[in-house]
Amino acid sequence: MPEHNFIAAAFSQPHETIPIWIMRQAGRYLPQYREVRSRVSFLDLCHKPELMTKVTLQPIDIFGFDAAILFSDILIPLAHLGISVTFPNGPPKLEPPLREPADVDRLNLYDIADKLSFVLEGIRRIRGALYDRVPLIGFCGSPFTLLCYLVEGGGSKDFTETKKFIYTYPDAASRLLSLLADLVGNYLKLQINSGVQALQLFDTWGGILSPSDYSRYSLPYVQRVFELCHTEGIPRTLYLGNTACFLHLLADLNCEVISIDWRTELTLAGRQLPTKAIQGNLDPNILFAPTATVIAAARTILETMRDRDGFIFNLGHGILPQTPIDNVRALVETVHTFRR
Amino acid sequence: MPEHNFIAAAFSQPHETIPIWIMRQAGRYLPQYREVRSRVSFLDLCHKPELMTKVTLQPIDIFGFDAAILFSDILIPLAHLGISVTFPNGPPKLEPPLREPADVDRLNLYDIADKLSFVLEGIRRIRGALYDRVPLIGFCGSPFTLLCYLVEGGGSKDFTETKKFIYTYPDAASRLLSLLADLVGNYLKLQINSGVQALQLFDTWGGILSPSDYSRYSLPYVQRVFELCHTEGIPRTLYLGNTACFLHLLADLNCEVISIDWRTELTLAGRQLPTKAIQGNLDPNILFAPTATVIAAARTILETMRDRDGFIFNLGHGILPQTPIDNVRALVETVHTFRR
């Protein structure tokens, strides 16, 4: 039986206390993180193993979360494809955007172990610093989500360029998605070799697709990624926004955990994903409510999932920058003092 | 039996050809609309019955849609509550935003028939100009969606202010929602008295809530609106984004049609809403694809819904400003030549 509650829950195995971590737990809502960021740019922070270690551990030390997540960004592996990836204030910028099949063929394949060695070094340092107190989660963006960024050249409201691209050039889209699946799968495998003990794949933008397009343009590549990084003892999680729209497609996916958003009812997800662990799903905005409301909302989730070994408490989306610290503390305490 | 296919389909009654209209069909994608807008501001356009008539009829004349929808904006009824509503380029701006319970008590109730007489006059003119060729749809925003605009002071990405408000001041939120439900319900009733032959309530932002919060903060007020405007022979439609997350809550709602987004599978919606007509649900971005792809995607929807009397073809969201006109024409022709 795994020694960490988080790993046990991810494999739907018995354990005592429900584990909790939160997406973007090492981030701007933390004064200690903002202090580090006041001296270094976001991109520099992602490139310096010592600072990555510092900010990865901050939320563990401050709140006692049950898992750490590597401090990095889903766009890091794209920078060496021959695309400029920058983080001006606001959304990221990728230049030039991919708009034609020929743009895909121009992408520069590279040696991940070499070019992304700073991430792998960061992982080794973080593992050393954690002393196995809690497991370390590695991550990457899904192939489809990375395609969105590459084609839009950044964030988007309607993802019109992405959809124009996939509907106009389905073959080039499939070539790009295959290339990205190999990149992501191999990158995650290297993360495991460097010490991460769990994986999360962020299909942040998968939820902009209709279910039938999701089945065509995202799911097969998620599956390919999970095949490539499959490793005994390392649970794999898929995060996907608007999860409720896609639940019927996820029951047989080759991963252990599905991380659901707050719009997706836990009981519905539990019923439709009988063999998976569920992670989620408090609305990050509830953390702006009075503390008593936060605690009540957390308890409702805990009561609902009491009997399911496969449950990890998390938010339904990343924590927001202005979130009050005291409510995060109250949330963690509520989860940790809950008796199953 | 109703004489218009649109009305028959909305009441799930037999009819020959599947009707089609599209959200924002009188809008910026149309050169003829842009021509009118080049001479008048958006807000002026909403206030001038003659111009409202002109742009409402444009898509009917150009494409032969099976329903016209009143040219107006969901924020129009808010302007007389004592809030400044402006449409600078980009998202609308509402000032001052509501942030405290006292802000709700300061709202100015008003005589709708008097202050919004220009809308009602627009409806009478449009009906006159349509000569009953196609029915005219009236509309308004749902109480929760209007609350979002009032509290955020405009659009939003995360709706943090809205959620702070409802979670911190649930009583003031419920007072505001009741006030808005009465306003919207009475306004829609006046629209019917002035000549609209169908209604659509836009719960544009309802989909930001978890299902349990949706049940508390949106649905009861939607129900109240539909009660207030219930009129023999006038079908009522609810549009709600991220519909799949909320299908299980909508089966018993007191309306005739549910308009679903492209993330929601038609068969799933059909199964979960056995007594409702379904409206939707082509991804508006598919209209940027090659014409053959548009036609194929439309045919898939038509084949799926062939046997359901209660089906109205529409997009899953409003048509986008850059949409190619020829694809809209091909879409309408595909629907109109489809044999059930």
Side-chain angles (χ1 to χ4, degrees):
Chain A
M1 188 171 129
E3 55 182 324
H4 294 298
N5 281 347
F6 170 82
I7 301 291
F11 282 115
S12 297
Q13 289 168 351
H15 57 282
E16 272 189 18
T17 311
I18 292 178
I20 176 172
W21 70 280
I22 65 187
M23 289 183 277
R24 292 194 196 279
Q25 64 189 16
R28 278 187 288 161
Y29 76 106
L30 270 183
Q32 293 87 342
Y33 172 86
R34 292 198 300 268
E35 199 277 319
V36 174
R37 274 286 276 105
S38 69
R39 291 178 284 116
V40 58
S41 75
F42 177 73
L43 207 54
D44 275 355
L45 181 46
C46 292
H47 280 79
K48 293 198 192 317
E50 199 184 315
L51 292 179
M52 288 164 66
T53 305
K54 183 164 180 168
V55 298
T56 299
L57 265 72
Q58 283 174 344
I60 311 303
D61 294 336
I62 297 168
F63 300 114
F65 286 120
D66 296 292
I69 182 161
L70 171 66
F71 187 86
S72 187
D73 191 88
I74 62 169
L75 302 180
I76 292 291
L78 300 182
H80 296 279
L81 289 171
I83 302 291
S84 148
V85 180
T86 51
F87 295 85
N89 283 334
K93 210 168 158 64
L94 294 90
E95 291 166 309
L98 302 194
R99 295 285 162 85
E100 305 279 338
D103 299 335
V104 176
D105 304 320
R106 261 196 299 276
L107 289 175
N108 176 43
L109 297 184
Y110 64 90
D111 178 353
I112 306 170
D114 176 34
K115 298 285 189 193
L116 302 183
S117 60
F118 61 94
V119 179
L120 309 175
E121 171 60 19
I123 291 169
R124 287 186 288 269
R125 278 204 186 216
I126 296 165
R127 280 298 310 275
L130 278 172
Y131 286 111
D132 218 25
R133 268 194 291 161
V134 296
L136 176 62
I137 305 168
F139 74 94
C140 195
S142 77
F144 178 74
T145 292
L146 297 180
L147 175 146
C148 289
Y149 277 106
L150 289 167
V151 174
E152 298 289 339
S156 176
K157 184 170 165 267
D158 293 312
F159 293 91
T160 296
E161 293 300 334
T162 297
K163 291 182 181 174
K164 253 190 230 176
F165 184 83
I166 63 178
Y167 297 138
T168 309
Y169 309 117
D171 293 343
S174 127
R175 253 174 18 250
L176 177 54
L177 289 163
S178 297
L179 179 161
L180 292 169
D182 285 349
L183 174 64
V184 171
N186 291 324
Y187 178 42
L188 291 176
K189 187 78 191 173
L190 288 172
Q191 289 189 24
I192 295 171
N193 295 344
S194 302
V196 305
Q197 295 144 294
L199 291 172
Q200 182 154 325
L201 192 63
F202 286 88
D203 201 1
T204 316
W205 299 125
I208 65 162
L209 293 170
S210 69
S212 73
D213 284 336
Y214 190 76
S215 296
R216 176 167 179 187
Y217 295 106
S218 187
L219 207 52
Y221 305 97
V222 167
Q223 190 130 8
R224 172 75 181 145
V225 168
F226 282 146
E227 256 167 40
L228 283 171
C229 63
H230 183 208
T231 305
E232 177 81 28
I234 308 284
R236 297 160 297 181
T237 299
L238 174 68
Y239 171 77
L240 170 61
N242 290 321
T243 335
C245 307
F246 308 99
L247 283 175
H248 57 299
L249 304 172
L250 303 176
D252 298 323
L253 187 65
N254 55 340
C255 69
E256 287 69 38
V257 189
I258 302 289
S259 193
I260 67 173
D261 74 331
W262 71 92
R263 292 185 190 93
T264 303
E265 275 199 0
L266 283 163
T267 43
L268 197 69
R271 212 179 313 130
Q272 293 214 42
L273 304 171
T275 63
K276 301 269 188 268
I278 306 284
Q279 178 173 275
N281 76 340
L282 191 72
D283 184 340
N285 277 299
I286 286 190
L287 291 170
F288 291 95
T291 306
T293 304
V294 175
I295 294 174
R299 284 216 180 112
T300 301
I301 292 176
L302 292 163
E303 292 290 351
T304 306
M305 301 307 274
R306 178 195 287 278
D307 296 329
R308 192 177 182 105
D309 283 324
F311 176 64
I312 298 157
F313 203 110
N314 206 315
L315 303 183
H317 199 275
I319 188 166
L320 294 160
Q322 313 297 329
T323 304
I325 295 298
D326 286 347
N327 278 349
V328 179
R329 211 180 293 280
L331 172 64
V332 176
E333 197 188 307
T334 303
V335 176
H336 279 166
T337 56
F338 182 79
R339 288 292 146 250
R340 295 180 68 203
Chain B
M1 192 170 128
E3 54 183 326
H4 294 298
N5 280 346
F6 171 82
I7 301 289
F11 282 115
S12 297
Q13 289 168 351
H15 57 281
E16 272 190 20
T17 311
I18 292 177
I20 177 172
W21 71 279
I22 64 186
M23 289 183 277
R24 291 195 197 279
Q25 64 188 18
R28 278 186 289 161
Y29 76 107
L30 271 184
Q32 294 86 341
Y33 171 85
R34 293 198 298 270
E35 200 275 319
V36 175
R37 274 284 277 107
S38 70
R39 293 179 281 116
V40 56
S41 75
F42 177 72
L43 207 52
D44 275 353
L45 182 45
C46 293
H47 279 80
K48 294 201 193 311
E50 199 185 316
L51 292 177
M52 290 164 65
T53 304
K54 181 166 183 166
V55 299
T56 298
L57 265 71
Q58 283 175 345
I60 310 304
D61 294 335
I62 297 168
F63 300 113
F65 287 120
D66 297 291
I69 182 162
L70 171 66
F71 187 85
S72 187
D73 191 87
I74 62 168
L75 302 181
I76 292 291
L78 300 182
H80 295 280
L81 289 169
I83 303 291
S84 147
V85 180
T86 52
F87 296 84
N89 282 331
K93 210 168 158 60
L94 294 91
E95 289 166 310
L98 301 194
R99 294 288 161 86
E100 306 279 338
D103 299 336
V104 177
D105 303 322
R106 260 195 299 277
L107 289 175
N108 176 42
L109 298 184
Y110 63 91
D111 178 352
I112 306 171
D114 175 35
K115 299 284 189 193
L116 301 182
S117 59
F118 60 94
V119 179
L120 308 177
E121 171 59 20
I123 290 169
R124 284 186 291 266
R125 278 203 186 218
I126 296 165
R127 281 296 312 273
L130 278 171
Y131 287 111
D132 218 25
R133 269 195 291 161
V134 296
L136 176 63
I137 304 168
F139 73 94
C140 195
S142 77
F144 178 74
T145 292
L146 296 180
L147 176 145
C148 289
Y149 278 105
L150 288 168
V151 174
E152 298 290 338
S156 176
K157 185 169 163 269
D158 294 312
F159 293 90
T160 296
E161 293 300 333
T162 298
K163 291 182 180 174
K164 250 190 229 175
F165 184 83
I166 63 178
Y167 297 139
T168 309
Y169 309 116
D171 292 343
S174 125
R175 248 172 24 245
L176 176 54
L177 289 162
S178 296
L179 179 161
L180 292 168
D182 285 349
L183 174 63
V184 171
N186 291 324
Y187 177 43
L188 291 177
K189 187 76 190 172
L190 287 172
Q191 290 189 24
I192 294 172
N193 295 345
S194 302
V196 305
Q197 295 141 294
L199 290 172
Q200 181 153 328
L201 193 62
F202 286 88
D203 201 3
T204 316
W205 299 125
I208 66 164
L209 294 170
S210 68
S212 73
D213 283 337
Y214 190 77
S215 297
R216 177 166 177 188
Y217 294 106
S218 188
L219 205 52
Y221 305 98
V222 167
Q223 189 130 10
R224 171 75 180 144
V225 168
F226 282 145
E227 256 167 41
L228 283 171
C229 62
H230 183 210
T231 306
E232 178 80 27
I234 307 285
R236 297 160 296 180
T237 299
L238 175 68
Y239 171 78
L240 169 61
N242 290 319
T243 335
C245 307
F246 308 99
L247 283 175
H248 57 299
L249 304 173
L250 302 176
D252 297 324
L253 187 64
N254 55 340
C255 69
E256 288 69 38
V257 189
I258 303 288
S259 192
I260 68 174
D261 73 331
W262 70 92
R263 295 184 186 91
T264 303
E265 277 199 358
L266 283 163
T267 44
L268 198 70
R271 213 178 314 128
Q272 293 214 41
L273 303 171
T275 62
K276 301 268 187 271
I278 307 283
Q279 179 174 274
N281 77 343
L282 191 73
D283 184 340
N285 277 298
I286 286 189
L287 292 171
F288 292 95
T291 305
T293 305
V294 175
I295 293 174
R299 283 216 182 112
T300 302
I301 293 176
L302 292 163
E303 291 290 351
T304 305
M305 302 307 274
R306 178 194 286 277
D307 296 330
R308 193 178 182 104
D309 283 323
F311 175 63
I312 297 157
F313 203 110
N314 205 316
L315 303 182
H317 199 275
I319 189 165
L320 294 160
Q322 312 297 329
T323 303
I325 295 296
D326 286 347
N327 277 349
V328 178
R329 212 181 293 279
L331 173 64
V332 175
E333 196 188 309
T334 304
V335 177
H336 279 165
T337 56
F338 182 79
R339 287 290 147 252
R340 296 179 67 201

